[in-house]
Amino acid sequence: MGGPGHFAPNGRCASRPIAFWISRMNVLILGSGGREHALARACARSPSLGKLIVAPGNPGCAEVARTVPLDLADHAAIVALCERETIDLVIVGPEAPLVAGVADDLERAGVACFGPSRAAAQLEGSKGFTKDFCREFAIPTAAYGRFRSRNEAKAFIRARGAPIVVKADGLAAGKGVTVAETVEEAEAAIDGLLPASGESSAEAVVEDFLDGEEVSFFALCDGVSATAFASAQDHKRVGEGDTGPNTGGMGAYSPPSLMTAEMADRVMREIVLPTVRGMAARGTPFRGVLFAGLMIGSDGPKLIEFNVRFGDPETEAILERLDDDLLPWLAAAAKGALPGGSPAFSADAALTVIMAARGYPGEPLLGTRIAGIAEAERLPGVAVLQAGTRRAGDDIIANGGRVLAVTARGPTVREAQERAYAAVDQIRWPEGFFRRDIGWRAVARERAAGP
Ligand code: AMP
Ligand code: GLY
């Protein structure tokens, strides 16, 4: 088992200019979803890994790492775990601990953290903050207003007309957004967010509707510079054909054909790099992964929102395509020392289908038994990543809304999709459901283009 000062003389690690003789790192991943299972699998493959702990993790994470129960709101307990286990690097999965300042608390304790400080996590924590930031640094995004008064918000809505978008300011797990087709619908959304009279402590952002296709774009940032990581498209609606209520994401695929090398360069130049420079200029440097939710329209990419962590389920698909050693990249970003170049990805596609518990995104049915995971994983190019699961003896039990992230790789999105659904069909779980059409846009494009 390695700690700081243990060296692994091997030539397999890092085709990159990070280190030739690299010291092994003890790594703690915070979180318990499919994203964290995917991160844990990628770290477990790394020649530069010492020990790997996921807290609190899930039964999938437990196959590649030690899992430790932990309340992610208890930063003192996180720091104590790091000290006890001589952790060199903490990788933070979800946004809530970042917005609550876990990176600051780790820094005070001398532990490197992949994930931004509380001040830099405002890029996800407050939509108003991000809109003002975009205005200051000329980052393309929808025109907007910020409101604490109902009347002022409604006057703005009537002046701009519909379609128009109304958002709650703070973290709302994807539930604080109304894309209104009519002025009346937008006004009703304002009624739900702001009190009838006077100034409220709550805030609403109202912004223009952006037309185009959405892409999730990820860049690694070290406080002063950034490198493109990968991009994906996810399916946020619960129903096939992208209908019904929003969810955390019902599936994803990577790469999206829209994200050509030229488009990725543009996103880096127009959105990511100005953000990293702007945050540094303000004295709140951004370290970690910047997740830009983009709308790609006829006049190029515009920012819908930033997240300050990896996407879920995008990460499950993206990491299946990673042909590089993830860990040195994340460590370099955390330590403010990204090398030149960017991580290597396969030209293959990868596609993730989320299997959710009946009732999701409302009240999911918990406690039902899932069979067939091992059979699904025996199929070539398939990984079954676990999210809301728990173990009871030999059984895997549904323990959340999004439960499995069934992922497959293939030379085209169509083949990745076929393999992913062949794997889904191996899973015996009558109380679960999934969408049959993940990747439909890309598959239709491939059909139109190819033989
Ligand atoms: P957000 O929580 O800001 O990512 O918004 C959730 C979803 O609402 C996005 O993924 C988009 O599908 C949609 N959305 C948000 N803002 C806009 C906008 N200005 N124009 C069109 N769609 C939007
Ligand atoms: N899949 C969208 C997100 O992680 O927020």
Side-chain angles (χ1 to χ4, degrees):
M1 193 59 60
H6 293 237
F7 295 93
N10 63 66
R12 279 180 304 143
C13 74
S15 55
R16 304 276 134 187
I18 292 173
F20 183 68
W21 294 72
I22 207 158
S23 64
R24 292 208 184 196
M25 280 174 270
N26 292 336
V27 175
L28 168 64
I29 298 174
L30 299 180
S32 61
R35 168 182 52 205
E36 288 76 16
H37 187 187
L39 286 165
R41 273 169 51 102
C43 289
R45 282 195 292 270
S46 174
S48 29
L49 181 72
K51 66 178 144 186
L52 181 60
I53 298 176
V54 187
N58 63 39
C61 299
E63 287 168 14
V64 293
R66 184 148 65 87
T67 57
V68 173
L70 191 69
D71 172 5
L72 297 188
D74 186 350
H75 296 185
I78 295 172
V79 169
L81 177 64
C82 290
E83 284 168 354
R84 204 163 59 240
E85 300 286 350
T86 57
I87 295 296
D88 302 301
L89 177 69
V90 176
I91 301 168
V92 185
E95 63 277 13
L98 293 166
V99 172
V102 76
D104 310 69
D105 291 331
L106 287 166
E107 189 183 346
R108 272 192 286 278
V111 183
C113 177
F114 180 80
S117 67
R118 176 195 200 123
Q122 285 278 97
L123 285 174
E124 176 162 359
S126 163
K127 293 185 193 293
F129 170 92
T130 299
K131 297 301 286 190
D132 290 351
F133 179 87
C134 287
R135 179 146 64 190
E136 183 176 343
F137 294 98
I139 293 161
T141 186
Y144 72 105
R146 298 177 69 170
F147 301 98
R148 289 187 188 277
S149 137
R150 235 192 224 189
N151 289 342
E152 285 170 25
K154 289 186 179 180
F156 182 82
I157 288 167
R158 285 192 291 270
R160 306 287 302 180
I164 193 157
V165 181
V166 176
K167 303 184 176 185
D169 179 65
L171 286 184
K175 287 178 189 135
V177 176
T178 304
V179 179
E181 303 289 338
T182 62
V183 165
E184 292 68 35
E185 203 187 325
E187 289 185 328
I190 287 294
D191 289 341
L193 292 177
L194 300 179
S197 63
E199 294 264 311
S200 78
S201 57
E203 183 180 316
V205 170
V206 181
E207 66 178 34
D208 284 355
F209 175 80
L210 297 173
D211 215 356
E213 204 172 311
E214 281 185 68
V215 173
S216 304
F217 185 95
F218 299 86
L220 303 182
C221 307
D222 69 358
V224 291
S225 70
T227 184
F229 191 65
S231 56
Q233 241 171 358
D234 88 343
H235 294 266
K236 289 203 169 81
R237 304 300 190 104
V238 74
E240 282 167 15
D242 296 322
T243 55
N246 259 326
T247 69
M250 291 300 290
Y253 68 95
S254 172
S257 60
L258 224 60
M259 196 45 68
T260 57
E262 294 72 37
M263 185 63 79
D265 277 351
R266 226 180 130 176
V267 172
M268 289 301 291
R269 240 184 9 257
E270 295 177 13
I271 295 175
V272 174
L273 291 170
T275 300
V276 173
R277 289 189 196 118
M279 292 302 279
R282 283 184 169 192
T284 52
F286 187 91
R287 289 199 191 94
V289 58
L290 188 65
F291 166 178
L294 303 173
M295 190 69 86
I296 312 288
S298 51
D299 56 349
K302 287 209 166 87
L303 182 74
I304 299 175
E305 62 157 3
F306 279 131
N307 297 303
V308 299
R309 36 98 193 153
F310 282 113
D312 195 343
E314 289 96 327
T315 305
E316 289 91 309
I318 283 172
L319 290 183
E320 282 302 303
R321 298 181 48 236
L322 181 68
D323 273 348
D324 220 325
D325 182 354
L326 180 67
L327 201 44
W329 283 102
L330 302 192
K335 291 173 183 165
L338 273 177
S342 47
F345 283 88
S346 159
D348 274 3
L351 184 138
T352 298
V353 178
I354 293 292
M355 298 185 77
R358 202 184 288 156
Y360 179 76
E363 251 342 278
L365 180 65
L366 305 183
T368 58
R369 184 174 165 274
I370 302 163
I373 292 177
E375 289 90 321
E377 285 195 307
R378 274 199 283 276
L379 298 177
V382 167
V384 179
L385 301 158
Q386 298 189 28
T389 60
R390 67 178 165 83
R391 187 174 275 286
D394 286 341
D395 289 342
I396 294 293
I397 306 292
N399 194 36
R402 293 190 293 173
V403 175
L404 299 177
V406 181
T407 302
R409 193 168 150 164
T412 60
V413 178
R414 187 160 79 179
E415 282 161 274
Q417 188 198 51
E418 275 166 16
R419 285 181 182 172
Y421 283 112
V424 164
D425 289 337
Q426 293 295 314
I427 297 199
R428 300 183 299 282
W429 180 31
E431 299 85 2
F433 75 96
F434 57 91
R435 280 178 58 169
R436 267 280 164 203
D437 65 344
I438 300 303
W440 63 268
R441 272 200 194 82
V443 170
R445 277 194 189 120
E446 285 176 359
R447 286 219 170 90

